[in-house]
Amino acid sequence: MEWVDEGIVLGVRRHGEGAAIVELMTPTHGRHLGLVRGGSGSRLRPVLQPGNRVSATWRARLDEHLGHYQVEGIDLTAASLFAAGYAVYGVTHLGALCRLLPERDPHPEIYAALDEVLGCLLDAQLAGAQVIRFEMALLGELGFGLDLSQCAVTGGSDDLCFVSPRTGRAVSREAGRPWQDRLLRLPAFLNGSEEAPTHEDLAAGFKLAGFFLVRHVLEPRGLAFADARASFIAAVLRVGPGAVALR
């Protein structure tokens, strides 16, 4: 068995004296692991950093085997992410989210979304919004996407400001006003607005996506968010004027 694909490094763990087991997110073969000989050595260690994009050739005698990777760097951006501590948290969190997908199950749209968000991690405000969009996309990919197209009460599409925590459907400002303390806020950047999100918008977006990820994906598997998510959110919301604390 053999295939060639590009991939984004999600994680690496040492195996034996010099090898490493590398976890890639690929567009065609999904989240896929393989053994890299010499992967713990000085030549390949900089290539196999989480967040880097590589070209990978995978070989195995049988499809169900772990197999071996031969990798070459394409876009080695991981080193630049160390300039911003929150970006490292972001990469760790994104890798944990991708592990919620079944192994070896292709998700080309998630791969494209991951590639896009990694490209903007050094811009704190843009990175925050893109990570939220990635979380929302992952919810949809796992079959739990939110319906933000029209109000669940009136059927209209104007002034959608809330999301029902029970149904995951949008609610307009007027219809939701009597129950606004029980509803989740829908930030405008998740509903087509081209205006830059405020810190309050980012906090609301993380709360919204996090609520449904916990309810539908994490809790049923007995899981919780990794600490990297909270660290990423806290760091992003500290950047720039008007920073707020996420509650």
Side-chain angles (χ1 to χ4, degrees):
M1 302 293 299
E2 178 177 333
W3 52 256
V4 179
D5 206 349
E6 68 175 44
I8 294 169
V9 180
L10 299 179
V12 182
R13 66 177 185 267
R14 190 181 183 94
H15 184 80
E17 292 191 8
I21 295 176
V22 177
E23 182 181 28
L24 300 179
M25 187 67 191
T26 69
T28 307
H29 300 88
R31 183 173 62 86
H32 205 292
L33 281 74
L35 183 72
V36 177
R37 293 191 177 94
S40 298
S42 58
R43 184 179 71 84
L44 286 177
R45 195 180 305 119
V47 177
L48 299 177
Q49 293 297 310
N52 282 344
R53 189 155 56 93
V54 300
S55 172
T57 301
W58 180 83
R59 297 184 180 91
R61 189 169 63 85
L62 296 175
D63 185 61
E64 59 267 26
H65 288 176
L66 173 65
H68 292 80
Y69 274 137
Q70 182 177 350
V71 297
E72 295 181 6
I74 297 177
D75 187 9
L76 307 184
T77 60
S80 65
L81 299 179
F82 286 102
Y86 70 86
V88 178
Y89 292 131
V91 171
T92 302
H93 172 51
L94 291 167
L97 289 175
C98 288
R99 293 184 188 101
L100 297 172
L101 297 168
E103 190 178 349
R104 303 190 179 192
D105 190 12
H107 296 275
E109 292 184 359
I110 291 296
Y111 176 85
L114 178 63
D115 193 35
E116 183 176 359
V117 69
L118 287 172
C120 64
L121 271 186
L122 291 179
D123 182 328
Q125 189 171 40
L126 184 58
Q130 287 297 92
V131 169
I132 294 167
R133 291 189 179 101
F134 185 86
E135 291 182 343
M136 299 288 280
L138 187 71
L139 273 169
E141 196 76 5
L142 292 171
F144 303 107
L146 307 187
D147 182 359
L148 307 179
S149 60
Q150 61 183 22
C151 176
V153 179
T154 67
S157 58
D158 295 330
D159 204 18
L160 302 177
C161 296
F162 305 107
V163 175
S164 166
R166 184 176 63 87
T167 66
R169 298 182 64 189
V171 180
S172 68
R173 187 187 308 275
E174 187 63 28
R177 197 184 307 277
W179 301 282
Q180 59 184 343
D181 292 341
R182 303 179 187 178
L183 301 174
L184 296 164
R185 185 186 160 208
L186 173 60
F189 77 92
L190 288 179
N191 203 30
S193 173
E194 295 183 1
E195 293 185 10
T198 65
H199 285 75
E200 289 79 7
D201 290 334
L202 293 177
F206 279 117
K207 184 175 181 179
L208 176 65
F211 177 87
F212 288 102
L213 279 169
V214 168
R215 168 183 282 185
H216 294 305
V217 182
L218 296 176
E219 283 189 346
R221 305 184 190 194
L223 301 174
F225 280 122
D227 292 342
R229 184 180 192 263
S231 298
F232 175 77
I233 294 172
V236 166
L237 297 183
R238 281 197 304 266
V239 175
V244 299
L246 183 65
R247 292 177 170 82

